[in-house]
Every structure is written in C-alpha cells, then in structure tokens.
Amino acid sequence: MNFASDNVTGAAPEIIEALSAAAAAGPEMPYGADSYTARAEALMSEVFEKEVSVFFVATGTAANSLSLSQLVPPYGGAYCHEDAHIQVHEAGAPEHYGGKLIPVGGEHAKLTPAVLQPAIAKAVPPVHHVKPSAVSITQASESGTVYTPEEIKALASCCREHGMRLHMDGARFANAVASMGVSPAETTWKAGVDALSFGATKNGTLAAEAVVFFDPADGEEFAYRRKRGGHLFSKMRFLTAQWEAYLSGGLWLALADHANAMAARLGSALSEIPAVEILHPVEANMVFAEWPASTTDELVKQGFVFYAQESEGRSRVRLVMAFNTRPEDVEKLIEAVRGHGAAQAAQ
C-alpha cells in the first residue's frame, strides 16, 4: 500500500507488451532512424493537432534541463515557482545546461502574472542582471493543482510582453489533461506554450520522456543538445516503442484517468474526517493533507507508505495515486484514517 509516489509502480501491460515485441523484432537502424521512432513522432503530431518537433529522452531532468537550455541563454533567467521540480529536485541541472533559475511564490504552487510582473521588473536595468528569458510552469503542479488554458494564456501574454518564452514541465501532463477534459493542443501551443517536457514515466511506462517544440524551428539545433547531454540512445526504438503504445488509442489518458479518480475518491473522503485538513485542491493524482502525527504513526504500523513532514504534533502528508493504484487500497487508507480519528475522539 505504497502512496509515496507514482514512480514506485511498474509499467502498464501494454507498455511491456510493446517492448517485448520490439525486442523480439528484427534489426532496426540506430539513433532514432528506426520505424518505431518515426511512428511515435507521427503520433505526437497527431496528438497535438499540428506538426511538432519531438526529441525522446529517458529522464524528466534531461527533458527539463535540455529544453530550457534551448530557450534560455547562459546569461538568461528562467522564472519558476519556488516549489517547482526544476528548482528543488534537479540538483542544479537546468542551470548547468542553461541560464539561472529565478524562483517566485504563488498559492498552491502555481505562478500568476501578478507575482511574475514585479519579479521580472527587478531585472531592470539590463546587463547587470540576468536577462528575463523564459517562464517555466509545472503541469500538474507540485501541489497537485492544474493550470487551466485561460491561466496559461495569461502567463503566455506576460511572457510575450517581455520577449520571453513559456516552458511547461509536464511530468504529470497526462493527469492534467485528463483532469480538465481538454485537448492537449488547448493546454499547450494554443495557449501559448513554446516547449513541453512531456513525461510518461510516472504514468505507466518504464522510462520514457520527450521534449516537444511547437515551432519546429526551435528544434533545429536541439539534436546537438540532446547528443551532448548523453540522451541520444543508440537503440532509440526501446524508448519510442513505449511512446507508440502509450499514445495509441488514448492509453495515456485512460491510465491518468484512473489515477485521478483514485485521488478524487481519497481527497473527498478525507475531507469529511474532522481531524484532517486538505491543503490544496485535488485536481490531478495527488492529495496533500494535514493530520495528527499519531495518525501517521498508526498508518505506518499498518503498512502504508507515504511521505510526511512532522511539526508540533501534526503531519503534512503527500499521497500519490498511480495508473494501477488499487481501489481497495484507497478504501483501506480511508478506513484507517477514519478509524484512528474515531479512536482518538473516544479517548
């Protein structure tokens, strides 16, 4: 009963089947000149309703760092939320490959033009500060919240006003799209996104990430950045066979739908328990809550796994659902929290 992360899971059966078929097939040309990669590239353009420039890599850190390096020069700055994955969990990789990260605040781990505008204004006068070059948003955010197309358009307008580009860290892009019920195009290039780090690893693949540029001209030099970054796989077909299966028939959204539904059920039930406070809107596949530290102790004893931060007798917890989270495990968690609350009240 592991709710620590959507990285703790295995892979969807359809992905394993696709990989097995690719491994058993005959020889293919290396470095992306294979039929699997060609089909995956075509599917990506189909999903986004336009010709896109796509580059497949194996990790989200590589996707974020390399794509930002394309948008941000060494003397440039990329604005992001202070809790963003690129700021907190990537060991400075984006700054290693590109410019400086400039963290700003915002409720529920989301950026708004209201917080961005004064932050960008601090970069004036020029030359003595890094040049404002890009904004990076996380979809879904680190708090499990989702940017609507309207919110993205507002941020894109802010970027255009200052001659900046808009990057989206889409490690949980599938969960965001499934949550809103909009097309992938509506929440990316139609809303003003220039580059997307499209993640699949957290949603049922073994290791499959992609960098998507919505203006193919942005990808003209990127092949060299990917090679220099060590992510041009000789047997690229074992990445792209996953993508072909993932995108075909809407599998990626079906997997995300399940994870989101599990989170919605958990969040709704926990919100009815008096000792529990839901910290952020439950809009994707994560639930953030606060409850007594003794509740955490009891759940750990019962075999539940999750991340918790304790302070003054309270626990702030993150509970993450995945493509294969079992409904019965969610119900057991709900009953365990409810039961501990009832026992505490009776004392």
Side-chain angles (χ1 to χ4, degrees):
M1 297 179 290
N2 194 322
F3 295 92
S5 173
D6 35 14
N7 285 322
V8 305
T9 64
E14 296 88 344
I15 302 300
I16 297 299
E17 182 179 345
L19 274 171
S20 296
E28 290 271 355
M29 295 301 290
Y31 301 110
D34 59 88
S35 62
Y36 298 89
T37 300
R39 290 193 296 270
E41 290 172 344
L43 276 170
M44 199 71 78
S45 292
E46 181 180 317
V47 162
F48 287 104
E49 304 172 38
K50 68 170 299 186
E51 181 185 355
V52 298
S53 184
V54 56
F55 299 85
F56 300 100
V57 297
T59 72
T61 296
N64 285 332
S65 303
L66 294 174
S67 59
L68 280 170
S69 75
Q70 185 68 31
L71 304 181
V72 183
Y75 51 82
Y79 294 79
C80 63
H81 194 276
E82 60 192 1
D83 294 330
H85 199 274
I86 59 173
Q87 168 67 15
V88 180
H89 293 295
E90 295 188 347
E95 293 183 338
H96 173 73
Y97 285 101
K100 180 178 175 59
L101 295 180
I102 305 171
V104 296
E107 292 187 356
H108 305 304
K110 291 170 66 175
L111 298 179
T112 64
V115 298
L116 275 175
Q117 291 283 14
I120 295 170
K122 291 180 181 179
V124 179
V127 178
H128 302 291
H129 301 269
V130 295
K131 180 183 178 182
S133 301
V135 170
S136 179
I137 59 175
T138 311
Q139 181 76 315
S141 80
E142 297 300 321
S143 293
T145 51
V146 170
Y147 287 93
T148 66
E150 291 71 25
E151 290 171 323
I152 298 169
K153 287 177 183 177
L155 291 168
S157 178
C158 179
C159 288
R160 301 299 180 257
E161 179 184 343
H162 296 282
M164 302 165 65
R165 312 297 295 281
L166 183 57
H167 168 262
M168 179 180 283
D169 174 359
R172 296 184 174 93
F173 182 67
N175 300 96
V177 172
S179 172
M180 291 185 287
V182 301
S183 72
E186 287 179 86
T187 191
T188 53
W189 65 271
K190 288 185 178 181
V193 174
D194 294 295
L196 168 69
S197 299
F198 190 172
T201 304
K202 297 180 186 295
N203 191 41
T205 69
L206 288 175
E209 309 286 314
V211 174
V212 182
F213 292 108
F214 297 104
D215 180 354
D218 284 326
E220 290 178 359
E221 295 180 352
F222 189 80
Y224 295 95
R225 295 183 186 276
R226 179 176 63 173
K227 175 64 176 179
R228 186 172 181 265
H231 276 262
L232 178 61
F233 279 59
S234 59
K235 295 184 179 180
M236 185 66 74
R237 64 189 182 277
F238 295 122
L239 287 183
T240 52
Q242 296 179 73
W243 275 104
E244 184 181 6
Y246 187 66
L247 296 177
S248 296
L251 174 64
W252 65 296
L253 293 175
L255 297 175
D257 268 331
H258 175 79
N260 290 354
M262 294 296 97
R265 165 60 184 154
L266 180 61
S268 176
L270 291 181
S271 69
E272 297 174 354
I273 300 174
V276 178
E277 177 186 359
I278 301 298
L279 301 176
H280 304 289
V282 180
E283 297 176 348
N285 66 318
M286 295 185 284
V287 177
F288 290 80
E290 182 175 303
W291 57 43
S294 58
T295 299
T296 295
D297 295 338
E298 178 60 28
L299 293 178
V300 170
K301 287 179 184 177
Q302 293 186 32
F304 295 98
V305 181
F306 52 89
Y307 289 121
Q309 293 181 331
E310 295 190 9
S311 176
E312 299 180 352
R314 300 283 288 177
S315 285
R316 288 188 166 225
V317 302
R318 185 186 83 158
L319 304 158
V320 186
M321 312 301 115
F323 74 94
N324 61 352
T325 295
R326 299 188 301 178
E328 56 266 36
D329 288 346
V330 173
E331 297 304 321
K332 288 177 183 177
L333 178 57
I334 293 167
E335 289 307 312
V337 176
R338 186 181 288 136
H340 184 260
Q344 290 291 98
Q347 291 179 357

